[in-house]
Amino acid sequence: MNGTLLLTRAVVEFRNSYPELTAQWERQINSGNSRPDLHFCMTLLDDYPYLDSYLRSIEYRIGFAINAYIIHSDWQREFIGSGYDYNLALELANREIQLTYKALNDSEIVTEDPKAKVYHDILANARSGTF
């Protein structure tokens, strides 16, 4: 499995079992009309510039966000199953996704990818207005 893209066995099995749902989520992201948790998983990438650049360089940003959303939902369900109320379970799942994104953002696979470095520089210049 590819941990960098959050392609765990559970995510792959979910995606294979529900391809129509995955396609619906892709359409929701593209239209800017996604559920709050899916929107969170997508927009959180903006806080992790190396990970964001890496995902753009391999054209997998939306796929990654969907994988994160599946994992996020699993964590939420596990926290609720452990007795946490919905709001705390959501907060804990959000925190876990943030820690996952940070770990990937800081990983050598992401920070040392040559194509991603180019995207990172382009995005950094665009954000700073130096173009």
Side-chain angles (χ1 to χ4, degrees), residues 53 116-128 130-131:
S53 299
K117 286 182 180 184
V118 171
Y119 273 83
H120 181 266
D121 292 345
I122 291 169
L123 292 171
N125 288 333
R127 287 180 183 129
S128 68
T130 57
F131 274 127

Side-chain angles (χ1 to χ4, degrees), residues 4-53:
T4 306
L5 300 178
L6 303 182
L7 282 171
T8 64
R9 182 183 327 263
V11 168
V12 171
E13 288 174 3
F14 183 93
R15 289 181 76 116
N16 289 337
S17 297
Y18 302 99
E20 300 86 13
L21 186 56
T22 302
Q24 177 185 341
W25 291 337
E26 289 175 357
R27 287 190 300 275
Q28 288 174 354
I29 288 173
N30 284 323
S31 71
N33 189 23
S34 57
R35 298 174 51 148
D37 295 347
L38 178 56
H39 179 76
F40 174 77
C41 290
M42 185 68 186
T43 60
L44 184 62
L45 287 169
D46 295 337
D47 295 340
Y48 300 92
Y50 290 105
L51 178 59
D52 185 33
S53 299

Side-chain angles (χ1 to χ4, degrees), residues 66-118:
I66 289 172
N67 295 348
Y69 176 60
I70 294 167
I71 292 170
H72 182 275
S73 297
D74 287 345
W75 279 331
Q76 232 180 324
R77 191 171 27 263
E78 287 182 30
F79 289 130
I80 290 170
S82 296
Y84 294 96
D85 69 27
Y86 174 81
N87 290 329
L88 186 53
L90 175 62
E91 186 177 320
L92 292 170
N94 287 351
R95 177 73 178 139
E96 290 298 321
I97 284 292
Q98 289 170 325
L99 291 172
T100 300
Y101 281 26
K102 181 176 180 353
L104 291 172
N105 188 70
D106 297 341
S107 72
E108 286 183 19
I109 291 171
V110 169
T111 59
E112 298 300 319
D113 183 272
K115 191 173 176 186
K117 286 182 180 184
V118 171

